[in-house]
Amino acid sequence: MEQAPPDPERQLQPAPLEPLGHPDGGLETVVGEEVEGARDESPGDGTVRRRGGRGPGACVGAYNRNLMLFLFRSVEHIDGQSVLTDSLWRRYSEFELLRNYLLVYYPHIVVPPLPEKRAEFVWHKLSADNMDPDFVERRRIGLENFLLRVASHPILCRDKIFYLFLTQEGNWKETVNETGFQLKADSRLKALNATFRVKNPDKRFTELKHYSDELQSVISHLLRVRARVADRLYGVYKVHGNYGRVFSEWSAIEKEMGDGLQSAGHHMDVYASSIDDILEDEEHYADQLKEYLFYAEALRAVCRKHELMQYDLEMAAQDLASRKQQCEELATGTVRTFSLKGMTTKLFGQETPEQREARIKVLEEQINEGEQQLKSKNLEGREFVKNAWADIERFKEQKNRDLKEALISYAVMQISMCKKGIQVWTNAKECFSKM
């Protein structure tokens, strides 16, 4: 089922963010210089440059470690040059507020997820502290990716609240709260009730819900396997450092063999220390998988909304059928089913013709109103299904493309790692040959 088009009051007219969000407009991330006047805790920043030079481009940049703030820098192209036009700070909670708003006003859209708030699926040498600089930096990149996802979405990129999130310095929270989106949010209890009581669920959404559960499960298992492999790989590489120590000690007691052993030991030391950079690079691919782990919940959110709309539709149809039956019973004077009204009639006598006519008239008005309401819900439902399925197809294409690229890149990295290992032992072999 589907929701009516978003309120035009909240859309940008005309849409000044179209080049920012339109796929053809392009988004480039470039590293900027130190922010003048920025807080001392902020180590650096990033900007997003948008082709076309109209309106602000933005991206998460520097972070303040003490307060967990993230910096935006807006850039415009003026006379062929990139000019810094604005900068502002955002808290992680403000990103959460933005996403919650998008979930309420665009329930038919698979809203991009935020990065994890606390580290998950970590191997034992990786810090699980959410204040760890490496984790905060990865989360910074994840927040930037969230903004790029929203900015590249053909519908979300045009939302006025999103535009203000990128450009409004103060009172942004107040602006969001004034939309009243919290009052429009569906309660979890109501959603759970609809899940179990809906009688005619759409098979496509049922299958999608099952798929999202399976997707979350397989990616979770994949991340756990990767964490275990990283633990063992780290140990294997570091143990090679013992080769370096032993060869170095051995070289001290040998004359003819000393130089070769010393050189081989050096190669072993390099091999042992290389694992730190390798596993750091692996975290990038793990974060890409985590994004789609969290996307699974976004898919379920669309399915839950459809279940709620279907449940409301069924309740409206049931209520209309009940009123029609009551009207028919009053008109014919027959009672088909047991009811409190029927018992009251038997105990206290029949209604007068005037009373019956008045009740029939009220019921007919309620029936007309119910038919209009049911028609409206049917139209709303069909529109929701149409728009939701279009966005789901868009998401599937994005998912297939991103995961294919991530898995290929991960395989290439593993091949490169193995080649480096072969090269180390080849160098060690040459050292031994020269002894």
Side-chain angles (χ1 to χ4, degrees):
M1 313 195 55
E2 164 65 310
Q3 185 184 0
D7 182 2
E9 289 280 303
R10 296 179 299 102
Q11 300 291 307
L12 298 176
Q13 301 292 341
L17 279 181
E18 181 174 356
L20 175 63
H22 197 282
D24 296 334
L27 286 170
E28 302 174 62
T29 302
V30 295
V31 178
E33 68 283 355
E34 298 254 335
V35 184
E36 294 183 7
R39 306 167 191 244
D40 294 338
E41 297 86 351
S42 304
D45 66 6
T47 62
V48 169
R49 184 175 62 221
R50 183 175 62 89
R51 297 192 185 104
R54 182 166 58 91
C59 134
V60 185
Y63 63 88
N64 179 312
R65 187 176 185 274
N66 292 335
L67 298 178
M68 298 307 294
L69 300 175
F70 298 84
L71 176 68
F72 286 95
R73 300 194 69 187
S74 299
V75 173
E76 286 188 355
H77 291 288
I78 300 177
D79 297 329
Q81 295 185 351
S82 299
V83 178
L84 176 65
T85 59
D86 197 9
S87 62
L88 65 155
W89 295 85
R90 293 290 186 216
R91 294 180 181 274
Y92 185 87
S93 60
E94 292 179 276
F95 283 87
E96 291 180 313
L97 185 62
L98 172 63
R99 186 172 187 274
N100 290 336
Y101 159 83
L102 294 175
L103 284 170
V104 170
Y105 273 104
Y106 302 94
H108 61 284
I109 288 176
V110 185
V111 179
L114 292 172
E116 57 191 348
K117 199 166 187 177
R118 290 177 177 80
E120 300 177 15
F121 305 103
V122 297
W123 52 287
H124 80 280
K125 288 294 182 181
L126 194 67
S127 174
D129 179 13
N130 66 328
M131 297 296 288
D132 178 72
D134 291 335
F135 171 71
V136 173
E137 173 61 16
R138 292 201 307 276
R139 188 166 66 174
R140 182 196 71 77
I141 294 172
L143 291 173
E144 179 178 357
N145 187 61
F146 165 75
L147 289 181
L148 292 174
R149 293 286 195 199
V150 176
S152 62
H153 194 283
I155 296 175
L156 298 181
C157 73
R158 301 169 185 265
D159 186 85
K160 184 178 180 180
I161 295 298
F162 174 58
Y163 176 80
L164 294 177
F165 180 84
L166 301 176
T167 58
Q168 185 169 314
E169 177 68 31
N171 302 321
W172 179 80
K173 284 186 177 181
E174 289 75 6
T175 303
V176 181
N177 292 330
E178 286 173 0
T179 64
F181 80 94
Q182 296 97 332
L183 300 176
K184 300 179 182 180
D186 299 314
S187 71
R188 293 185 179 182
L189 183 60
K190 183 180 178 182
L192 184 63
N193 181 54
T195 297
F196 288 104
R197 298 188 64 181
V198 67
K199 296 178 181 178
N200 299 299
D202 189 309
K203 184 179 179 181
R204 292 174 298 174
F205 285 92
T206 301
E207 291 175 349
L208 179 66
K209 192 175 182 180
H210 177 70
Y211 169 77
S212 66
D213 292 338
E214 292 296 322
L215 178 66
Q216 187 174 45
S217 177
V218 295
I219 293 181
S220 296
H221 291 157
L222 186 60
L223 288 168
R224 291 191 185 98
V225 170
R226 182 259 160 188
R228 290 199 297 269
V229 170
D231 272 331
R232 297 184 182 183
L233 198 61
Y234 183 85
V236 169
Y237 267 70
K238 290 304 181 183
V239 166
H240 277 72
N242 292 333
Y243 279 129
R245 177 178 57 80
V246 172
F247 286 152
S248 181
E249 293 173 355
W250 191 1
S251 68
I253 63 173
E254 298 287 352
K255 293 183 179 179
E256 292 81 4
M257 298 169 58
D259 290 342
L261 290 170
Q262 185 70 34
S263 297
H266 170 72
H267 290 302
M268 292 298 107
D269 290 336
V270 171
Y271 183 69
S273 62
S274 66
I275 189 60
D276 297 292
D277 291 336
I278 290 172
L279 293 182
E280 184 177 340
D281 291 340
E282 273 197 12
E283 287 303 315
H284 169 70
Y285 299 109
D287 288 339
Q288 287 181 299
L289 290 176
K290 286 179 183 179
E291 181 186 17
Y292 281 93
L293 177 72
F294 305 140
Y295 255 124
E297 176 57 30
L299 284 173
R300 285 196 291 270
V302 176
C303 295
R304 284 195 298 269
K305 183 61 179 179
H306 177 265
E307 287 173 342
L308 275 170
M309 297 181 73
Q310 177 66 23
Y311 178 69
D312 287 343
L313 177 65
E314 291 177 0
M315 290 299 99
Q318 181 177 318
D319 184 61
L320 178 61
S322 175
R323 294 186 187 282
K324 285 183 176 180
Q325 181 178 331
Q326 292 177 38
C327 188
E328 183 181 349
E329 290 173 352
L330 283 172
T332 60
T334 59
V335 179
R336 296 183 181 179
T337 59
F338 173 81
S339 67
L340 181 61
K341 183 64 180 176
M343 289 294 297
T344 303
T345 300
K346 290 182 179 180
L347 290 173
F348 301 103
Q350 294 286 338
E351 295 175 314
T352 64
E354 292 78 10
Q355 289 175 324
R356 187 181 299 111
E357 287 298 324
R359 288 191 60 212
I360 290 175
K361 185 176 181 181
V362 170
L363 283 171
E364 286 176 345
E365 291 176 355
Q366 292 176 343
I367 289 171
N368 289 333
E369 182 181 340
E371 287 176 341
Q372 291 299 318
Q373 185 180 24
L374 186 62
K375 181 179 179 181
S376 174
K377 286 183 178 295
N378 266 311
L379 290 174
E380 184 182 359
R382 285 195 290 269
E383 187 69 13
F384 181 91
V385 170
K386 175 185 173 183
N387 292 343
W389 215 251
D391 196 67
I392 288 167
E393 292 299 324
R394 178 203 60 80
F395 166 77
K396 288 179 178 179
E397 292 179 5
Q398 169 195 302
K399 172 186 64 71
N400 293 342
R401 181 176 63 251
D402 290 349
L403 291 181
K404 176 182 177 181
E405 180 182 343
L407 292 172
I408 290 175
S409 298
Y410 183 74
V412 169
M413 190 194 73
Q414 296 297 318
I415 293 171
S416 176
M417 180 180 67
C418 293
K419 286 182 177 179
K420 289 179 181 177
I422 293 173
Q423 186 61 48
V424 165
W425 281 104
T426 300
N427 293 339
K429 175 187 173 185
E430 292 177 357
C431 294
F432 298 149
S433 301
K434 294 177 182 178
M435 292 192 303

